[in-house]
């Protein structure tokens, strides 16, 4: 993977989230920008992201984690992928019961 600056990743993440919010379809488990970011950051970290770094994530996550978050955001337009990633994030946070 080519080296990408933190600022370039932040811009790309913002654009990906804006696109997802605009595309949000009925039946999607999440619709808001902060929810897409939660899902991406939690999955990129393998934990509730703010237990790994101090907020804000865009400034404090390692560049590699930001790149992974962007990669995940780019897959979320698929409803099945979004649902699976959201469930993983909820499980990491202890919010997924009986699933």
């Amino acid at each position: 993977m080519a080296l990408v600056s933190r600022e370039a990743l932040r811009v790309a993440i913002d654009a990906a989230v804006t696109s997802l919010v605009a595309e949000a379809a009925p039946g999607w488990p999440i619709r808001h920008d902060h929810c897409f970011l939660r899902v991406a950051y939690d999955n990129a970290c393998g934990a509730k992201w703010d237990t790994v770094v101090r907020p804000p994530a865009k400034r404090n996550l390692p560049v590699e984690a930001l790149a992974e978050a962007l990669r995940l955001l780019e897959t979320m337009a698929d409803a099945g992928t979004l649902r699976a990633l959201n469930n993983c994030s909820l499980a990491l946070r202890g919010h997924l019961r009986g699933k």
Side-chain angles (χ1 to χ4, degrees):
M1 175 204 254
L3 292 178
V4 179
S5 74
R6 177 175 301 278
E7 185 57 31
L9 286 166
R10 286 165 54 171
V11 169
I13 286 170
D14 287 344
V17 169
T18 298
S19 177
L20 286 165
V21 169
E23 293 175 33
W28 279 21
I30 57 176
R31 299 181 188 285
H32 303 288
D33 57 354
H34 63 277
C35 296
F36 288 109
L37 290 170
R38 167 189 53 84
V39 170
Y41 294 153
D42 285 357
N43 280 278
C45 292
K48 185 174 180 251
W49 71 265
D50 61 1
T51 65
V52 176
V53 297
R54 290 179 305 118
K58 287 182 195 177
R59 185 172 2 148
N60 294 317
L61 279 176
V63 170
E64 298 80 12
L66 289 174
E68 177 63 7
L70 176 59
R71 187 192 70 74
L72 292 166
L73 285 163
E74 290 171 342
T75 70
M76 288 186 203
D78 174 77
T81 300
L82 175 60
R83 201 165 277 107
L85 290 170
N86 185 53
N87 285 343
C88 183
S89 171
L90 293 173
L92 290 168
R93 291 168 172 263
H95 296 297
L96 195 61
R97 290 176 238 151
K99 295 197 178 189

